[in-house]
Coordinates of all heavy atoms in Angstrom, one line a residue:
M1 N 0.8 -1.2 0.0 CA 0.0 0.0 0.0 C 0.9 1.2 0.0 O 1.9 1.3 0.7 CB -0.9 0.0 1.2 CG -1.9 1.1 1.2 SD -3.2 0.6 2.4 CE -3.2 2.1 3.4
R2 N 0.5 2.2 -0.8 CA 1.3 3.5 -0.9 C 0.9 4.4 0.3 O -0.2 4.4 0.7 CB 1.0 4.2 -2.2 CG 1.4 3.4 -3.4 CD 1.0 4.1 -4.7 NE -0.4 4.2 -4.8 CZ -1.1 4.8 -5.8 NH1 -0.4 5.6 -6.6 NH2 -2.4 4.8 -5.9
K3 N 1.9 5.1 0.7 CA 1.7 6.1 1.8 C 1.0 7.3 1.2 O 1.4 7.9 0.2 CB 3.0 6.5 2.4 CG 2.8 7.4 3.6 CD 4.2 7.7 4.2 CE 3.9 8.7 5.3 NZ 5.0 8.8 6.2
I4 N -0.1 7.8 1.9 CA -0.8 9.0 1.5 C 0.0 10.2 1.8 O 0.4 10.4 3.0 CB -2.2 9.0 2.1 CG1 -3.0 7.8 1.6 CG2 -2.9 10.3 1.7 CD1 -4.3 7.6 2.2
P5 N 0.2 11.1 0.9 CA 1.0 12.3 1.1 C 0.2 13.2 2.1 O -1.0 13.3 2.1 CB 1.1 13.0 -0.2 CG 0.9 11.9 -1.2 CD -0.1 11.0 -0.6
I6 N 1.0 13.9 2.9 CA 0.4 14.8 4.0 C -0.5 15.9 3.3 O -1.6 16.1 3.9 CB 1.5 15.5 4.8 CG1 2.2 14.4 5.6 CG2 1.0 16.6 5.7 CD1 3.5 14.9 6.4
H7 N -0.2 16.4 2.2 CA -1.0 17.5 1.6 C -2.4 16.9 1.2 O -3.4 17.7 1.3 CB -0.3 18.2 0.4 CG -0.3 17.3 -0.8 ND1 0.7 16.4 -1.0 CD2 -1.1 17.3 -1.9 CE1 0.5 15.8 -2.2 NE2 -0.6 16.4 -2.8
I8 N -2.5 15.7 0.9 CA -3.8 15.1 0.6 C -4.6 14.9 1.8 O -5.8 15.1 1.8 CB -3.6 13.8 -0.2 CG1 -3.1 14.1 -1.6 CG2 -5.0 13.0 -0.3 CD1 -2.8 12.9 -2.5
I9 N -4.0 14.4 2.9 CA -4.7 14.3 4.2 C -5.2 15.6 4.6 O -6.4 15.8 5.0 CB -3.8 13.7 5.3 CG1 -3.3 12.3 4.8 CG2 -4.5 13.7 6.6 CD1 -2.1 11.8 5.6
L10 N -4.4 16.7 4.6 CA -4.8 18.0 5.0 C -5.9 18.6 4.1 O -6.9 19.1 4.6 CB -3.6 19.0 5.0 CG -2.5 18.7 6.0 CD1 -1.3 19.6 5.7 CD2 -3.0 18.8 7.4
S11 N -5.8 18.4 2.8 CA -6.9 18.9 1.9 C -8.2 18.2 2.1 O -9.2 18.8 2.0 CB -6.4 18.9 0.4 OG -6.3 17.5 0.0
T12 N -8.1 16.9 2.4 CA -9.4 16.1 2.6 C -10.0 16.6 3.9 O -11.3 16.8 3.9 CB -9.1 14.6 2.6 OG1 -8.5 14.2 1.4 CG2 -10.4 13.8 2.9
A13 N -9.2 16.8 4.9 CA -9.8 17.3 6.2 C -10.4 18.7 6.1 O -11.5 18.9 6.5 CB -8.7 17.3 7.3
K14 N -9.7 19.6 5.4 CA -10.2 20.9 5.2 C -11.5 20.9 4.3 O -12.4 21.7 4.5 CB -9.1 21.8 4.6 CG -8.1 22.2 5.5 CD -7.0 23.1 4.9 CE -5.9 23.4 5.9 NZ -5.0 24.4 5.3
N15 N -11.5 20.0 3.3 CA -12.7 19.9 2.5 C -13.9 19.5 3.3 O -15.0 20.0 3.1 CB -12.4 18.9 1.4 CG -13.5 18.9 0.3 OD1 -14.2 19.9 0.1 ND2 -13.8 17.7 -0.3
L16 N -13.8 18.6 4.2 CA -14.9 18.2 5.1 C -15.3 19.4 6.0 O -16.5 19.6 6.1 CB -14.4 17.0 6.0 CG -14.3 15.7 5.4 CD1 -13.7 14.7 6.4 CD2 -15.7 15.2 5.0
L17 N -14.4 20.1 6.5 CA -14.7 21.3 7.4 C -15.3 22.4 6.5 O -16.3 23.0 7.0 CB -13.5 21.8 8.1 CG -12.8 20.8 9.1 CD1 -11.5 21.3 9.5 CD2 -13.8 20.6 10.3
D18 N -14.9 22.6 5.3 CA -15.4 23.7 4.5 C -16.8 23.3 4.0 O -17.6 24.2 3.7 CB -14.5 23.8 3.2 CG -13.2 24.5 3.5 OD1 -13.1 25.3 4.6 OD2 -12.2 24.4 2.8
N19 N -17.2 22.1 3.9 CA -18.5 21.7 3.4 C -19.5 21.5 4.5 O -20.4 20.7 4.4 CB -18.3 20.4 2.6 CG -17.7 20.7 1.2 OD1 -18.2 21.6 0.5 ND2 -16.7 20.0 0.9
Q20 N -19.4 22.3 5.5 CA -20.4 22.4 6.6 C -20.7 21.2 7.3 O -21.9 21.0 7.8 CB -21.7 23.0 5.9 CG -21.5 24.2 5.1 CD -20.9 25.4 5.8 OE1 -21.2 25.6 7.0 NE2 -20.0 26.1 5.2
I21 N -19.8 20.3 7.5 CA -20.0 19.1 8.4 C -20.2 19.6 9.8 O -19.7 20.6 10.2 CB -18.8 18.2 8.4 CG1 -19.1 16.9 9.1 CG2 -17.5 18.8 8.9 CD1 -18.1 15.8 8.9
Q22 N -21.1 19.0 10.5 CA -21.4 19.3 11.9 C -21.4 18.1 12.8 O -21.7 17.0 12.3 CB -22.8 20.0 12.0 CG -22.8 21.3 11.4 CD -24.2 22.0 11.6 OE1 -25.1 21.4 12.0 NE2 -24.2 23.3 11.4
T23 N -20.9 18.3 14.0 CA -20.8 17.1 14.9 C -21.0 17.6 16.4 O -20.7 18.8 16.7 CB -19.4 16.4 14.8 OG1 -19.4 15.3 15.7 CG2 -18.3 17.4 15.1
N24 N -21.4 16.7 17.3 CA -21.4 17.1 18.7 C -20.2 16.4 19.4 O -20.2 16.3 20.6 CB -22.8 16.6 19.3 CG -23.0 15.1 19.2 OD1 -22.2 14.4 18.6 ND2 -24.1 14.7 19.8
R25 N -19.2 16.0 18.7 CA -18.0 15.4 19.2 C -16.8 16.3 18.9 O -16.8 17.0 17.9 CB -17.8 14.0 18.7 CG -18.9 13.1 19.1 CD -18.8 11.7 18.4 NE -19.9 10.9 18.7 CZ -19.9 9.8 19.4 NH1 -18.8 9.3 19.8 NH2 -21.0 9.1 19.6
K26 N -15.8 16.2 19.7 CA -14.6 17.0 19.5 C -13.6 16.3 18.6 O -12.5 16.8 18.4 CB -14.0 17.5 20.8 CG -14.8 18.5 21.5 CD -14.1 19.1 22.7 CE -14.8 20.3 23.2 NZ -14.1 21.0 24.2
K27 N -13.9 15.1 18.1 CA -13.1 14.4 17.2 C -13.9 14.0 16.0 O -15.0 13.5 16.1 CB -12.5 13.2 17.8 CG -11.5 13.4 18.9 CD -10.9 12.1 19.4 CE -9.9 12.4 20.5 NZ -9.3 11.2 21.1
I28 N -13.3 14.0 14.8 CA -13.9 13.5 13.6 C -12.9 12.6 12.9 O -11.8 13.0 12.6 CB -14.3 14.7 12.6 CG1 -15.2 15.7 13.2 CG2 -14.8 14.1 11.3 CD1 -15.5 16.9 12.4
T29 N -13.3 11.3 12.8 CA -12.5 10.3 12.1 C -13.1 10.2 10.7 O -14.3 10.1 10.5 CB -12.5 9.0 12.8 OG1 -12.0 9.2 14.1 CG2 -11.6 8.0 12.1
F30 N -12.2 10.2 9.7 CA -12.6 10.2 8.3 C -11.6 9.4 7.4 O -10.4 9.3 7.7 CB -12.7 11.7 7.8 CG -11.4 12.4 7.9 CD1 -10.6 12.6 6.8 CD2 -11.0 13.0 9.1 CE1 -9.4 13.3 6.9 CE2 -9.8 13.7 9.2 CZ -9.0 13.8 8.1
P31 N -12.1 8.9 6.3 CA -11.3 8.1 5.4 C -10.6 9.0 4.4 O -11.1 10.0 4.0 CB -12.2 7.2 4.7 CG -13.5 8.0 4.7 CD -13.5 8.8 5.9
V32 N -9.4 8.6 4.0 CA -8.6 9.4 3.0 C -8.0 8.3 2.1 O -7.4 7.3 2.5 CB -7.5 10.2 3.6 CG1 -6.7 10.9 2.5 CG2 -8.0 11.2 4.6
T33 N -8.2 8.5 0.7 CA -7.5 7.6 -0.2 C -6.4 8.4 -0.9 O -6.2 9.6 -0.7 CB -8.5 7.2 -1.3 OG1 -8.9 8.3 -2.1 CG2 -9.7 6.5 -0.7
I34 N -5.6 7.7 -1.6 CA -4.4 8.3 -2.3 C -4.9 9.4 -3.2 O -4.2 10.4 -3.5 CB -3.6 7.2 -3.0 CG1 -2.2 7.7 -3.3 CG2 -4.2 6.7 -4.3 CD1 -1.3 7.7 -2.1
E35 N -6.1 9.3 -3.7 CA -6.6 10.4 -4.6 C -7.3 11.5 -3.8 O -7.7 12.5 -4.4 CB -7.7 9.8 -5.6 CG -7.2 8.8 -6.6 CD -7.1 7.4 -6.0 OE1 -7.7 7.1 -5.0 OE2 -6.3 6.6 -6.6
G36 N -7.4 11.3 -2.5 CA -7.9 12.4 -1.7 C -9.4 12.3 -1.6 O -10.1 13.3 -1.4
E37 N -10.0 11.2 -1.9 CA -11.5 11.0 -1.9 C -11.9 10.0 -0.9 O -11.1 9.1 -0.5 CB -11.9 10.6 -3.3 CG -11.5 11.7 -4.3 CD -12.2 11.5 -5.6 OE1 -13.1 10.7 -5.7 OE2 -11.7 12.2 -6.6
P38 N -13.2 10.1 -0.5 CA -13.7 9.1 0.5 C -13.7 7.7 -0.1 O -13.6 7.5 -1.3 CB -15.1 9.6 0.8 CG -15.3 10.8 0.1 CD -14.1 11.1 -0.8
F39 N -13.9 6.7 0.8 CA -14.0 5.3 0.4 C -15.4 5.0 -0.2 O -16.1 4.1 0.2 CB -13.9 4.4 1.6 CG -12.5 4.4 2.2 CD1 -12.3 4.1 3.5 CD2 -11.4 4.6 1.4 CE1 -11.1 4.0 4.1 CE2 -10.1 4.5 2.0 CZ -10.0 4.3 3.3
Y40 N -15.8 5.7 -1.3 CA -17.0 5.3 -1.9 C -16.8 5.2 -3.4 O -16.2 6.0 -4.1 CB -18.1 6.4 -1.7 CG -19.3 6.1 -2.6 CD1 -20.2 5.2 -2.2 CD2 -19.4 6.8 -3.8 CE1 -21.3 4.9 -3.1 CE2 -20.5 6.5 -4.7 CZ -21.4 5.5 -4.3 OH -22.5 5.2 -5.1
F41 N -17.2 4.0 -3.9 CA -17.1 3.8 -5.4 C -18.4 3.0 -5.7 O -18.9 2.2 -4.9 CB -15.9 2.9 -5.7 CG -14.6 3.5 -5.3 CD1 -14.0 3.1 -4.1 CD2 -14.0 4.4 -6.1 CE1 -12.7 3.7 -3.8 CE2 -12.7 4.9 -5.8 CZ -12.1 4.6 -4.6
P42 N -18.9 3.2 -6.9 CA -20.0 2.4 -7.4 C -19.6 0.9 -7.3 O -18.4 0.6 -7.5 CB -20.3 2.9 -8.8 CG -19.7 4.3 -8.8 CD -18.5 4.3 -7.9
D43 N -20.5 0.0 -7.0 CA -20.2 -1.4 -6.9 C -19.4 -2.0 -8.0 O -18.5 -2.7 -7.7 CB -21.5 -2.2 -6.8 CG -22.3 -1.9 -5.5 OD1 -21.6 -1.4 -4.5 OD2 -23.5 -2.2 -5.4
G44 N -19.6 -1.6 -9.2 CA -18.9 -2.2 -10.3 C -17.4 -1.7 -10.4 O -16.6 -2.3 -11.2
E45 N -17.1 -0.7 -9.7 CA -15.7 -0.1 -9.8 C -14.8 -0.5 -8.7 O -13.7 0.0 -8.6 CB -15.8 1.4 -9.9 CG -16.5 1.9 -11.1 CD -16.6 3.4 -11.2 OE1 -15.9 4.1 -10.5 OE2 -17.5 3.9 -11.9
I46 N -15.3 -1.3 -7.7 CA -14.4 -1.6 -6.6 C -13.4 -2.7 -7.0 O -13.8 -3.8 -7.4 CB -15.2 -2.1 -5.4 CG1 -16.1 -1.0 -4.9 CG2 -14.3 -2.6 -4.3 CD1 -17.1 -1.4 -3.8
N47 N -12.2 -2.4 -7.0 CA -11.1 -3.4 -7.3 C -10.3 -3.6 -6.0 O -10.2 -4.8 -5.6 CB -10.2 -2.9 -8.4 CG -10.9 -2.7 -9.7 OD1 -11.7 -3.5 -10.0 ND2 -10.5 -1.8 -10.5
E48 N -9.8 -2.6 -5.5 CA -9.1 -2.7 -4.2 C -9.1 -1.3 -3.5 O -8.9 -0.3 -4.2 CB -7.6 -3.1 -4.5 CG -6.8 -3.3 -3.2 CD -5.4 -3.8 -3.5 OE1 -5.2 -4.3 -4.6 OE2 -4.5 -3.5 -2.7
I49 N -9.4 -1.3 -2.3 CA -9.5 0.0 -1.5 C -8.1 0.2 -0.9 O -7.7 -0.6 -0.1 CB -10.6 0.0 -0.5 CG1 -11.9 -0.1 -1.2 CG2 -10.5 1.2 0.4 CD1 -13.1 -0.2 -0.3
E50 N -7.5 1.3 -1.2 CA -6.2 1.7 -0.6 C -6.5 3.0 0.1 O -6.8 4.0 -0.6 CB -5.1 1.8 -1.6 CG -4.7 0.6 -2.2 CD -3.5 0.7 -3.1 OE1 -2.9 1.8 -3.1 OE2 -3.1 -0.2 -3.8
G51 N -6.4 3.0 1.4 CA -6.7 4.3 2.1 C -6.3 4.2 3.6 O -5.9 3.1 4.0
E52 N -6.5 5.2 4.3 CA -6.2 5.3 5.7 C -7.3 6.1 6.4 O -8.0 6.9 5.8 CB -4.9 6.0 5.9 CG -3.7 5.4 5.2 CD -2.5 6.3 5.3 OE1 -2.5 7.4 5.7 OE2 -1.4 5.8 4.8
M53 N -7.5 5.8 7.7 CA -8.4 6.6 8.5 C -7.6 7.6 9.3 O -6.5 7.3 9.8 CB -9.2 5.7 9.4 CG -10.1 4.7 8.8 SD -11.4 5.4 7.8 CE -12.5 6.0 9.0
W54 N -8.1 8.8 9.4 CA -7.4 9.9 10.1 C -8.4 10.6 11.0 O -9.6 10.5 10.8 CB -6.8 10.9 9.1 CG -5.6 10.4 8.5 CD1 -5.5 9.7 7.3 CD2 -4.3 10.4 9.0 NE1 -4.3 9.3 7.0 CE2 -3.5 9.8 8.1 CE3 -3.7 11.0 10.1 CZ2 -2.1 9.6 8.2 CZ3 -2.3 10.8 10.3 CH2 -1.5 10.2 9.4
T55 N -7.9 11.2 12.1 CA -8.8 11.9 13.0 C -8.3 13.3 13.2 O -7.1 13.6 13.5 CB -8.8 11.1 14.4 OG1 -9.2 9.8 14.2 CG2 -9.7 11.8 15.4
M56 N -9.3 14.2 13.0 CA -9.0 15.6 13.4 C -9.7 15.9 14.7 O -10.7 15.2 15.0 CB -9.4 16.6 12.2 CG -10.9 16.5 11.9 SD -11.2 17.6 10.5 CE -12.3 16.7 9.5
Y57 N -9.3 17.0 15.4 CA -9.9 17.3 16.7 C -9.9 18.8 16.9 O -9.2 19.5 16.3 CB -9.2 16.5 17.8 CG -7.7 16.9 17.9 CD1 -7.4 17.9 18.9 CD2 -6.7 16.4 17.1 CE1 -6.1 18.3 19.0 CE2 -5.4 16.8 17.3 CZ -5.1 17.7 18.2 OH -3.8 18.2 18.4
T58 N -10.7 19.1 17.9 CA -10.7 20.5 18.4 C -10.6 20.5 20.0 O -11.1 19.6 20.6 CB -12.0 21.2 18.0 OG1 -12.0 22.6 18.5 CG2 -13.3 20.5 18.5
V59 N -10.0 21.5 20.5 CA -9.9 21.6 22.0 C -10.9 22.6 22.5 O -11.6 22.3 23.4 CB -8.4 22.0 22.4 CG1 -8.4 22.3 23.9 CG2 -7.4 21.0 21.9
D60 N -11.1 23.7 21.7 CA -12.0 24.7 22.1 C -13.3 24.8 21.4 O -14.1 25.6 21.7 CB -11.3 26.1 22.0 CG -10.9 26.4 20.6 OD1 -11.2 25.6 19.6 OD2 -10.2 27.4 20.3
G61 N -13.5 23.9 20.5 CA -14.8 23.8 19.7 C -14.8 24.8 18.5 O -15.7 24.9 17.8
I62 N -13.6 25.4 18.2 CA -13.6 26.4 17.1 C -12.4 26.1 16.2 O -12.6 26.0 15.0 CB -13.4 27.8 17.7 CG1 -14.7 28.2 18.5 CG2 -13.2 28.8 16.6 CD1 -14.6 29.5 19.3
Q63 N -11.2 25.9 16.7 CA -10.0 25.7 15.9 C -9.8 24.2 15.8 O -9.8 23.5 16.8 CB -8.8 26.3 16.6 CG -7.5 26.1 15.8 CD -6.4 26.8 16.4 OE1 -6.4 27.2 17.6 NE2 -5.3 27.0 15.7
W64 N -9.6 23.7 14.5 CA -9.5 22.3 14.3 C -8.0 22.0 13.9 O -7.4 22.7 13.2 CB -10.4 21.9 13.2 CG -11.8 21.8 13.7 CD1 -12.7 22.9 13.8 CD2 -12.5 20.7 14.2 NE1 -13.9 22.5 14.3 CE2 -13.8 21.1 14.6 CE3 -12.2 19.4 14.4 CZ2 -14.7 20.3 15.2 CZ3 -13.1 18.5 15.0 CH2 -14.3 19.0 15.4
L65 N -7.6 20.8 14.5 CA -6.2 20.4 14.3 C -6.1 18.9 13.9 O -7.1 18.2 14.1 CB -5.5 20.5 15.7 CG -5.6 21.9 16.4 CD1 -5.2 21.8 17.9 CD2 -4.7 22.9 15.7
I66 N -5.0 18.5 13.4 CA -4.7 17.1 13.1 C -3.3 16.8 13.4 O -2.4 17.6 13.1 CB -5.1 16.8 11.6 CG1 -5.1 15.3 11.4 CG2 -4.2 17.5 10.6 CD1 -5.7 14.9 10.1
N67 N -3.0 15.6 13.9 CA -1.7 15.2 14.2 C -1.2 14.2 13.2 O -1.8 13.1 13.1 CB -1.6 14.6 15.6 CG -0.3 14.2 16.1 OD1 0.7 14.1 15.3 ND2 -0.1 14.1 17.4
I68 N -0.2 14.5 12.4 CA 0.3 13.6 11.4 C 1.8 13.5 11.6 O 2.6 14.5 11.6 CB 0.1 14.2 10.0 CG1 -1.4 14.5 9.7 CG2 0.7 13.3 8.9 CD1 -1.7 15.2 8.4
E69 N 2.3 12.2 11.8 CA 3.7 11.9 12.1 C 4.3 12.8 13.2 O 5.3 13.4 13.0 CB 4.5 12.1 10.8 CG 4.0 11.1 9.7 CD 4.8 11.3 8.4 OE1 5.6 12.2 8.3 OE2 4.5 10.5 7.5
D70 N 3.6 12.9 14.3 CA 4.0 13.6 15.5 C 4.1 15.1 15.3 O 4.7 15.8 16.1 CB 5.3 13.0 16.1 CG 5.1 11.6 16.5 OD1 4.1 11.3 17.1 OD2 6.1 10.8 16.4
E71 N 3.5 15.6 14.3 CA 3.4 17.1 14.1 C 2.0 17.5 14.0 O 1.2 16.9 13.3 CB 4.2 17.5 12.8 CG 4.3 19.0 12.6 CD 5.2 19.4 11.5 OE1 6.0 18.6 11.1 OE2 5.1 20.5 11.0
I72 N 1.6 18.6 14.7 CA 0.3 19.1 14.8 C 0.1 20.1 13.7 O 0.9 21.1 13.6 CB -0.1 19.6 16.1 CG1 0.0 18.5 17.2 CG2 -1.5 20.3 16.1 CD1 -0.2 18.9 18.6
Y73 N -0.9 20.0 12.8 CA -1.2 20.9 11.8 C -2.5 21.6 12.1 O -3.5 21.0 12.5 CB -1.4 20.2 10.4 CG -0.1 19.6 9.9 CD1 0.3 18.3 10.3 CD2 0.7 20.2 9.0 CE1 1.5 17.7 9.9 CE2 1.9 19.7 8.6 CZ 2.2 18.4 9.0 OH 3.4 17.9 8.5
N74 N -2.5 22.9 11.9 CA -3.7 23.8 12.2 C -4.5 23.8 10.9 O -4.1 24.2 9.9 CB -3.3 25.2 12.5 CG -4.4 26.1 12.8 OD1 -5.6 25.7 12.8 ND2 -4.1 27.4 13.0
L75 N -5.8 23.2 11.0 CA -6.7 23.2 9.8 C -7.4 24.5 9.7 O -8.0 24.7 8.6 CB -7.6 22.0 10.0 CG -7.0 20.6 10.0 CD1 -8.0 19.5 10.4 CD2 -6.3 20.3 8.6
G76 N -7.5 25.3 10.7 CA -8.2 26.5 10.6 C -9.3 26.7 11.7 O -9.6 25.8 12.5
I77 N -10.0 27.8 11.6 CA -11.1 28.2 12.5 C -12.4 27.9 11.8 O -12.7 28.4 10.7 CB -11.0 29.7 12.8 CG1 -9.7 30.1 13.4 CG2 -12.2 30.1 13.7 CD1 -9.3 29.5 14.7
Y78 N -13.1 27.0 12.5 CA -14.5 26.6 11.9 C -15.4 26.5 13.1 O -15.7 25.5 13.7 CB -14.4 25.2 11.3 CG -13.5 25.1 10.1 CD1 -12.1 24.9 10.2 CD2 -14.0 25.4 8.8 CE1 -11.3 24.9 9.0 CE2 -13.3 25.4 7.7 CZ -11.9 25.1 7.8 OH -11.1 25.1 6.7
P79 N -16.0 27.7 13.5 CA -16.9 27.8 14.7 C -18.2 27.1 14.5 O -18.9 26.8 15.5 CB -17.0 29.3 14.8 CG -16.8 29.9 13.5 CD -15.8 29.0 12.8
N80 N -18.6 26.7 13.3 CA -19.9 26.1 13.1 C -19.9 24.6 13.0 O -20.9 24.0 12.8 CB -20.6 26.7 11.9 CG -20.9 28.2 12.1 OD1 -21.2 28.6 13.2 ND2 -20.7 29.0 11.1
V81 N -18.7 24.0 13.2 CA -18.6 22.5 13.0 C -19.0 21.8 14.3 O -19.9 20.9 14.3 CB -17.2 22.1 12.6 CG1 -17.0 20.6 12.6 CG2 -16.9 22.6 11.2
Y82 N -18.5 22.2 15.4 CA -18.7 21.6 16.7 C -20.0 22.2 17.3 O -20.0 23.4 17.6 CB -17.6 21.7 17.7 CG -17.8 21.1 19.1 CD1 -18.1 19.8 19.2 CD2 -17.9 22.0 20.2 CE1 -18.3 19.3 20.5 CE2 -18.1 21.5 21.4 CZ -18.3 20.1 21.6 OH -18.6 19.6 22.8
K83 N -21.0 21.4 17.5 CA -22.3 21.8 18.1 C -22.4 21.2 19.4 O -22.6 20.0 19.5 CB -23.5 21.5 17.2 CG -23.4 22.1 15.8 CD -23.6 23.6 15.9 CE -23.6 24.3 14.6 NZ -23.6 25.7 14.7
R84 N -22.3 22.0 20.5 CA -22.5 21.4 21.8 C -23.9 21.0 22.0 O -24.8 21.6 21.5 CB -22.1 22.5 22.9 CG -20.6 22.8 22.8 CD -20.4 24.1 23.6 NE -19.0 24.5 23.6 CZ -18.4 25.2 22.6 NH1 -19.1 25.5 21.5 NH2 -17.1 25.5 22.6
E85 N -24.1 19.9 22.8 CA -25.5 19.4 23.1 C -26.1 20.3 24.1 O -25.5 20.8 25.0 CB -25.4 18.0 23.5 CG -25.0 17.1 22.3 CD -25.1 15.6 22.7 OE1 -24.3 15.1 23.4 OE2 -26.1 15.0 22.2

């Protein structure tokens, strides 16, 4: 299996945040493929799934971060993603 480049992991995470995802949890685990897309393919196109699961998180409910290879990356400020119950 090929290693997914960091820029693809970051762009996939930011894409989720930019597309108005909402959660009541401070962690979001999401799939990333080498192409930077989710693990969804029409049934006839599934040959082999190569991908990884990653988790982004927030401490304050506003700023989102991700830890990749022991380095923390700031994904940005997204105050509408974390919805407290």
Side-chain angles (χ1 to χ4, degrees):
M1 188 160 123
R2 298 180 290 173
K3 183 175 175 166
I4 297 176
I6 292 173
H7 74 277
I8 291 179
I9 298 166
L10 295 174
S11 68
T12 302
K14 287 181 181 183
N15 190 30
L16 285 171
L17 295 168
D18 287 337
N19 285 309
Q20 310 302 319
I21 189 170
Q22 292 185 346
T23 182
N24 62 357
R25 298 174 186 242
K26 289 190 170 187
K27 290 183 180 179
I28 300 172
T29 300
F30 59 98
V32 180
T33 65
I34 200 76
E35 293 84 17
E37 302 194 9
F39 290 152
Y40 171 78
F41 300 98
D43 291 340
E45 296 180 19
I46 297 176
N47 295 326
E48 184 177 336
I49 294 176
E50 290 186 10
E52 301 171 353
M53 296 298 286
W54 286 90
T55 301
M56 58 182 141
Y57 64 94
T58 182
V59 176
D60 61 4
I62 298 172
Q63 181 177 15
W64 287 84
L65 309 164
I66 189 166
N67 186 338
I68 303 172
E69 296 177 357
D70 296 324
E71 186 169 339
I72 297 174
Y73 293 86
N74 179 5
L75 297 170
I77 304 294
Y78 295 90
N80 297 320
V81 172
Y82 175 66
K83 299 293 183 185
R84 293 166 182 83
E85 291 186 284

